[in-house]
Amino acid sequence: MPIQQMNCPRCGNKVAWSTSNPWRPFCSEHCKTMDLGAWASESYRIPVVELDDIEAVTDSEFSGEAPKLN
């Protein structure tokens, strides 16, 4: 069975998805450390939708109008 290849989530280089890669899913220790640092510094964030925006979308569903977002 051929070894599966995937892209490193940090740099995009091709990397083998196998137990022989100790940094899986990353291509190197550097990419793994950089990704951990981004999480630790809170660089990765989930976008927040304000309550007013949700109400505008919900109201437009009932009125047939396009939502008015700021």
Side-chain angles (χ1 to χ4, degrees):
M1 175 182 269
I3 296 174
Q4 291 181 331
Q5 295 277 317
M6 62 175 292
N7 293 332
C8 173
R10 182 76 187 160
C11 70
N13 287 336
K14 290 283 185 193
V15 61
W17 183 265
S18 74
T19 55
S20 65
N21 177 4
W23 306 291
R24 181 180 66 207
F26 302 97
C27 65
S28 66
E29 184 176 14
H30 174 76
C31 281
K32 185 176 183 176
T33 303
M34 294 298 293
D35 188 71
L36 178 60
W39 280 105
S41 67
E42 298 182 0
S43 295
Y44 296 135
R45 296 177 183 243
I46 298 172
V48 176
V49 176
E50 297 295 328
L51 183 58
D52 294 338
D53 294 341
I54 293 172
E55 289 172 353
V57 171
T58 303
D59 291 344
S60 70
E61 290 175 358
F62 296 109
S63 67
E65 298 175 12
K68 297 174 184 167
L69 304 177
N70 296 335

